[in-house]
Amino acid sequence: MHYVIHCLDHDGAVDKRLANYEDHKAYLAQAPVKTVISGPLLGDDEETMIGSCFVLEADSLAEVEEFNRNDPFAKVGLWKSVSIRPFSKRVDNR
Protein backbone atom coordinates (compact mmCIF):
# COMPACT_ATOMS: atom_id res chain seq x y z
CA MET A 1 0.00 0.00 0.00
CA HIS A 2 1.10 3.57 -0.62
CA TYR A 3 0.86 6.35 1.95
CA VAL A 4 1.33 10.12 1.81
CA ILE A 5 2.87 12.02 4.70
CA HIS A 6 2.30 15.80 4.56
CA CYS A 7 4.17 17.80 7.21
CA LEU A 8 4.24 21.56 7.82
CA ASP A 9 7.08 23.12 9.79
CA HIS A 10 6.65 25.52 12.67
CA ASP A 11 6.94 29.11 11.46
CA GLY A 12 10.53 30.32 11.11
CA ALA A 13 12.00 26.80 11.43
CA VAL A 14 14.38 26.87 8.43
CA ASP A 15 17.48 26.96 10.65
CA LYS A 16 16.23 23.97 12.68
CA ARG A 17 15.49 22.11 9.43
CA LEU A 18 18.96 22.79 8.03
CA ALA A 19 20.68 21.87 11.30
CA ASN A 20 19.06 18.42 11.19
CA TYR A 21 19.05 17.86 7.43
CA GLU A 22 22.00 15.44 7.27
CA ASP A 23 20.52 13.24 10.03
CA HIS A 24 17.17 13.29 8.21
CA LYS A 25 18.78 12.23 4.90
CA ALA A 26 20.74 9.44 6.62
CA TYR A 27 17.53 8.20 8.25
CA LEU A 28 15.70 8.12 4.91
CA ALA A 29 18.57 6.18 3.32
CA GLN A 30 18.18 3.31 5.82
CA ALA A 31 14.44 3.57 6.51
CA PRO A 32 12.42 0.36 6.91
CA VAL A 33 9.80 1.57 4.40
CA LYS A 34 10.29 2.23 0.69
CA THR A 35 10.33 5.89 -0.29
CA VAL A 36 8.67 6.33 -3.69
CA ILE A 37 9.28 10.09 -3.74
CA SER A 38 9.99 12.73 -1.11
CA GLY A 39 11.12 16.30 -0.75
CA PRO A 40 10.57 19.60 0.96
CA LEU A 41 7.40 21.62 0.58
CA LEU A 42 8.11 25.21 -0.46
CA GLY A 43 6.59 28.53 0.52
CA ASP A 44 4.90 30.92 -1.88
CA ASP A 45 8.32 32.26 -2.91
CA GLU A 46 9.02 28.77 -4.33
CA GLU A 47 12.36 28.68 -2.46
CA THR A 48 11.85 28.63 1.32
CA MET A 49 11.40 25.14 2.76
CA ILE A 50 8.24 25.04 4.92
CA GLY A 51 7.53 21.33 5.27
CA SER A 52 7.99 17.81 3.97
CA CYS A 53 6.09 15.48 1.68
CA PHE A 54 6.62 11.73 1.30
CA VAL A 55 4.98 9.05 -0.80
CA LEU A 56 5.89 5.73 0.79
CA GLU A 57 5.26 2.07 0.14
CA ALA A 58 4.67 0.07 3.33
CA ASP A 59 2.75 -2.88 4.70
CA SER A 60 0.62 -0.87 7.15
CA LEU A 61 -0.34 2.54 8.43
CA ALA A 62 1.25 1.62 11.77
CA GLU A 63 4.59 1.05 10.01
CA VAL A 64 4.38 4.48 8.37
CA GLU A 65 3.44 6.16 11.65
CA GLU A 66 6.46 4.56 13.34
CA PHE A 67 8.70 5.64 10.44
CA ASN A 68 7.46 9.20 10.86
CA ARG A 69 7.86 9.21 14.66
CA ASN A 70 11.50 8.11 14.31
CA ASP A 71 12.43 10.71 11.69
CA PRO A 72 15.03 13.12 13.13
CA PHE A 73 12.85 16.04 12.01
CA ALA A 74 10.00 14.69 14.16
CA LYS A 75 12.30 14.04 17.11
CA VAL A 76 13.49 17.68 17.18
CA GLY A 77 9.93 19.02 16.89
CA LEU A 78 10.33 20.59 13.44
CA TRP A 79 6.80 19.89 12.26
CA LYS A 80 3.76 21.71 13.64
CA SER A 81 1.38 19.40 11.77
CA VAL A 82 1.58 15.94 10.23
CA SER A 83 -1.05 14.20 8.13
CA ILE A 84 -0.65 10.55 7.10
CA ARG A 85 -3.15 9.09 4.65
CA PRO A 86 -3.41 5.96 2.49
CA PHE A 87 -2.85 6.78 -1.18
CA SER A 88 -4.13 5.04 -4.30
CA LYS A 89 -1.54 5.63 -7.02
CA ARG A 90 -3.35 5.75 -10.36
CA VAL A 91 -0.76 7.29 -12.71
CA ASP A 92 3.03 7.15 -12.59
CA ASN A 93 4.66 8.82 -15.59
CA ARG A 94 8.25 8.31 -14.54
Side-chain angles (χ1 to χ4, degrees), residues 17-29:
R17 171 178 280 276
L18 294 175
N20 293 280
Y21 186 59
E22 292 303 319
D23 290 342
H24 169 72
K25 287 194 320 185
Y27 176 71
L28 295 182

Side-chain angles (χ1 to χ4, degrees), residues 13-92:
V14 173
D15 289 340
K16 181 182 273 192
R17 171 178 280 276
L18 294 175
N20 293 280
Y21 186 59
E22 292 303 319
D23 290 342
H24 169 72
K25 287 194 320 185
Y27 176 71
L28 295 182
Q30 58 84 33
V33 297
K34 180 182 176 191
T35 300
V36 177
I37 190 168
S38 68
L41 297 171
L42 303 177
D44 292 339
D45 64 2
E46 298 182 0
E47 292 180 14
T48 305
M49 293 179 285
I50 63 163
S52 304
C53 185
F54 307 85
V55 177
L56 304 174
E57 188 174 311
D59 292 331
S60 68
L61 177 59
E63 186 177 22
V64 174
E65 291 170 337
E66 181 177 353
F67 160 81
N68 184 257
R69 265 192 312 276
N70 291 320
D71 189 307
F73 282 173
K75 288 186 173 190
V76 299
L78 176 67
W79 296 316
K80 71 177 173 184
S81 68
V82 175
S83 172
I84 302 174
R85 304 293 307 164
F87 177 70
S88 179
K89 184 173 73 168
R90 304 276 185 194
V91 177
D92 185 345

